[in-house]
Structures are given as C-alpha cells and as structure tokens.
Amino acid sequence: MRITEAARQVGVPVHRLRHYEAVALVVPDRTPAGYRDYTPRHIERAKKVKALLDTGFTARDITLMLPCMQPEPAPGLCCDVTRARLVDRLHEISERRRQLQATETALAAWLSREATTS
C-alpha cells in the first residue's frame, strides 16, 4: 500500500512515516517506479514504533528493542536489552510522577495559604 494509506492505518501523518524510514525504524519496500510500498508487516512495525515513541523511548532505544518485539525474536541479548530499557523507562516515569506529586502538593499548599490570607 502507498504511504498515505499506511499513515492512516498507523495513525500518524505521512511525514512521520518518512521520518521512521529516515532513521531506519520502518523501511518499506519500493515499487519498480520508486514508490514506497507498505506491507502488513511494515504497518505492524510502524504501530510498535509509534507506541514506543508515544511512551517516551528514543529512536535509538527502539532500534535496540524492536528485534525482540517480533513474533520470532532475534537471538542473542537483545531481549535482555529490551527488558532492561523497559525497566529503566518505568523507573524514569515513577520518578517523574513522584516529582510531579511533590510539585502538586507544594502548589496546593501555596494556594491554600494564599486563600486564607486574602
């Protein structure tokens, strides 16, 4: 399928699929005329890339992780790398949540004090 339909199925703008290709995350086949030709395999990979990017992973992270996220993972340590990166990301999110909760508490306390002094 052409890039416009592929982008619609993945739920991203066309330029995003071009970016995925530029950084070698999703490289579609090419027709003899040079048009990008996305297969269902490319669509599924692009959906995984989008989901990982949406959760804050970098293109570099995803490059390391994707080989293990296939139905038949590549042999070697990549699954350990993927697991470790997922754990790291979960810790980063937990820490950010803790920081946001502390900020929320401080702001609420500030507003509460302001309300009682007005």
Side-chain angles (χ1 to χ4, degrees):
M1 83 187 60
R2 296 281 170 85
I3 193 168
T4 303
E5 177 59 19
R8 188 192 66 71
Q9 286 192 24
V10 175
V12 298
V14 168
H15 71 87
R16 185 83 41 89
L17 285 184
R18 288 188 184 112
H19 174 71
Y20 294 174
E21 182 179 5
V23 295
L25 291 173
V26 180
V27 181
D29 300 329
R30 293 285 181 156
T31 67
Y35 292 104
R36 291 171 179 87
D37 186 22
Y38 289 85
T39 65
R41 178 178 53 88
H42 294 117
I43 299 301
E44 288 309 308
R45 184 174 173 101
K47 286 178 179 179
K48 287 177 185 174
V49 167
K50 179 186 182 304
L52 291 166
L53 287 169
D54 287 349
T55 57
F57 289 101
T58 65
R60 183 172 176 268
D61 289 332
I62 295 168
T63 298
L64 295 172
M65 295 165 63
L66 274 177
C68 296
M69 302 181 97
Q70 305 304 315
E72 305 267 335
L77 296 176
C78 70
C79 290
D80 291 337
V81 168
T82 297
R83 176 178 272 300
R85 190 59 193 115
L86 290 170
V87 168
D88 287 348
R89 184 71 183 135
L90 186 59
H91 288 268
E92 291 167 8
I93 291 168
S94 294
E95 177 59 21
R96 188 175 321 147
R97 183 182 331 113
R98 187 195 64 70
Q99 291 171 351
L100 286 171
Q101 286 173 335
T103 301
E104 179 183 32
T105 300
L107 289 172
W110 185 285
L111 288 172
S112 176
R113 283 192 300 268
E114 288 294 312
T116 59
T117 60
S118 301

